[in-house]
Amino acid sequence: MKITSARTESFSAIRRRALTEAAGPAVTRAVVAADKAGFLGLGEDDLTPQVQAALKTLMVEIDDLRAEVGRLKFKLNEAQGLADMDVLAPVLNRRAFLREIKRVAAFAQRYGSPASLVFFDLDGFKSVNDRFGHAAGDEALKAVAERLLANVRETDVVGRIGGDEFAVLLVQADQQTASAKADTLAAAVSGTPVQFGEWSAPLHISYGVREIEPGADPEVALAEADASMFLRKRTRKEA
């Protein structure tokens, strides 16, 4: 006779399982309790009513602890998400954005996938604050963030670097592709004035583009994109 598989259960375990399946759900629950007790180092003779009650209480407390751990993990993830967001605009703050640059640069180093940074700076933003007030300036910054978000892919990342400076991390985009996208984003930001009650103010924006070197330092990559923006702005003024 050919043996197709080896028996891994003891004879007593097989007998107990067969008896409980024949006896019905009530006995099955008792056997499950006994199995759990065995796991805790208790034998069947130790399962007095008091011990069974204590085991039931213990299992309930374990379930409650698991649920509490789940709730705490959710709150922790939520808090971490909030810590990554800018205090004003619905985009990442500088710290979180730099972390994303590091992640993408590491991915580029490993897989040779291109990625680029676009650094944006609002031109003449001080005049918006001076003329309309800081509340209006805040609304202008929110508008810039929302327009950038509305015109990028879900895989791209938008961040507020500080003040009136924003940056967009474009994945799977080389220098040429990113430059074309930067033109589109700049047009989306400056195409419509921002409304402040009865008043409106146009938005003017400058940008610089820098392809991210594989494994690049995030601060260096951001500084290079900033320098590209500054050079582009100065060249435009001199023209």
Side-chain angles (χ1 to χ4, degrees), residues 22-174:
V27 176
T28 301
R29 287 194 296 270
V31 173
V32 170
D35 287 343
K36 290 180 178 177
F39 176 76
L40 295 172
L42 300 174
E44 292 184 13
D45 294 339
D46 299 317
L47 289 178
T48 63
Q50 293 82 0
V51 171
Q52 292 187 37
L55 284 173
K56 182 177 180 181
T57 300
L58 178 61
M59 295 304 172
V60 170
E61 290 178 352
I62 290 174
D63 287 340
D64 289 343
L65 286 173
R66 285 173 176 167
E68 182 62 22
V69 169
R71 286 192 291 268
L72 290 174
K73 285 182 177 179
F74 176 81
K75 289 181 179 180
L76 178 61
N77 291 335
E78 189 177 47
Q80 289 175 336
L82 291 174
D84 286 345
M85 298 304 293
D86 183 73
V87 296
L88 178 64
V91 295
L92 294 184
N93 56 31
R94 180 188 179 93
R95 177 186 61 82
F97 190 81
L98 287 170
R99 185 189 65 222
E100 290 301 301
I101 296 176
K102 183 177 181 179
R103 178 182 62 81
V104 170
F107 187 88
Q109 185 175 36
R110 183 171 183 178
Y111 298 105
S113 175
S116 297
L117 271 173
V118 185
F119 193 98
F120 292 98
D121 179 68
L122 285 172
D123 300 328
F125 181 70
K126 184 176 182 299
S127 64
V128 175
N129 282 325
D130 292 343
R131 182 176 180 183
F132 301 102
H134 287 285
D138 289 348
E139 289 303 314
L141 293 175
K142 291 178 185 177
V144 172
E146 290 167 355
R147 292 175 187 183
L148 291 175
L149 285 171
N151 289 276
V152 296
R153 301 163 297 179
E154 290 186 3
T155 52
D156 299 327
V157 182
V158 181
R160 183 181 173 211
I161 306 307
D164 59 351
E165 297 173 337
F166 292 82
V168 176
L169 179 57
L170 299 172
V171 299
Q172 297 292 331
D174 57 17

Side-chain angles (χ1 to χ4, degrees), residues 9-22 31:
E9 292 181 283
S10 65
F11 178 79
S12 60
I14 295 173
R15 181 174 179 273
R16 184 169 68 249
R17 176 165 53 81
L19 288 173
T20 54
E21 289 174 355
V31 173

